[in-house]
Amino acid sequence: MYRLLEFEKIGDERGWLTPVESYSDIPFLIKRIYFIHGTGEDIKRGMHAHKNLEQVIICLAGSCTLFLDNGFQNEEILLVDNNKGVYLKDLVWRELYNFSRNCILLVLASDHYYEGDYIRDYNSFKELVLKEDY
Ligand code: T46
């Protein structure tokens, strides 16, 4: 359903540096990045799946909960480490909630923004998952 990626933390007396490179740290060529911040504590984001897009979600600051559902099983993951990334590909329904006030999410994506890649209706997602399983 997902893979947890761990990035190097290079530290010295000046602080920390975490490099993230396509293909070595991230399993795809990064074509787009975006970040999410200023999300209120009672807000839910996501609520969709992607048909083809691959993404890595990294929590740079604060924390939030990522809920994943592949149509057969689901899991909640606490995002809190900025040297870890959650790699998502295939059909996975995702929701984000429990944002701390200072939460900043960085998302690395394998393709440009394309609304046609989104499945924003849960029933359509379930239908597609069941079809792909047979
Ligand atoms: C995902 C989760 C983790 C753009 O114009 N360009 C972009 O690259 C993106 C990602 C969004 N948008 C527009 C589309 C909407 O009008 O920004 C608005 C907010 O996007 P959305 O409602 O999809 O945001 P989230 O936080 O629910 O979902 C986003 C990503 O869209 C999604 O791929 O996996 O973050």
Side-chain angles (χ1 to χ4, degrees):
M1 182 151 58
Y2 72 95
R3 208 165 93 207
L4 199 60
L5 308 178
E6 194 153 350
F7 311 120
E8 193 183 356
K9 263 180 103 173
I10 304 170
D12 58 29
E13 65 285 354
R14 298 168 298 171
W16 298 99
L17 188 152
T18 295
V20 179
E21 295 192 13
S22 292
Y23 299 131
S24 49
D25 306 295
I26 303 293
F28 52 80
L29 179 69
I30 301 162
K31 287 201 185 162
R32 173 170 54 111
I33 68 167
Y34 58 93
F35 47 95
I36 293 171
H37 57 107
T39 297
E41 287 165 14
D42 50 352
I43 296 294
K44 251 191 181 186
R45 305 196 66 117
M47 322 278 289
H48 60 255
H50 282 283
K51 294 177 194 159
N52 295 305
L53 189 70
E54 296 175 52
Q55 296 196 109
V56 172
I57 304 176
I58 304 167
C59 184
L60 292 184
S63 64
C64 73
T65 301
L66 173 64
F67 170 83
L68 298 176
D69 174 356
N70 66 4
F72 303 98
Q73 50 185 0
N74 58 61
E75 191 171 329
E76 271 191 337
I77 305 162
L78 176 67
L79 302 182
V80 71
D81 291 321
N82 60 18
N83 69 318
K84 291 199 177 86
V86 178
Y87 171 46
L88 300 176
K89 67 185 288 239
D90 305 325
L91 274 177
V92 182
W93 185 264
R94 71 220 46 197
E95 298 178 9
L96 290 154
Y97 45 85
N98 286 342
F99 286 88
S100 68
R101 276 166 171 263
N102 59 342
C103 183
I104 303 175
L105 295 181
L106 175 69
V107 185
L108 313 174
S110 65
D111 215 336
H112 301 288
Y113 175 69
Y114 171 51
E115 184 58 37
D117 190 67
Y118 286 72
I119 305 163
R120 293 193 184 269
D121 173 64
Y122 187 77
N123 290 331
S124 311
F125 159 74
K126 281 288 271 192
E127 272 174 32
L128 211 57
V129 164
L130 291 173
K131 216 188 290 170
E132 291 214 341
D133 198 47
Y134 289 103

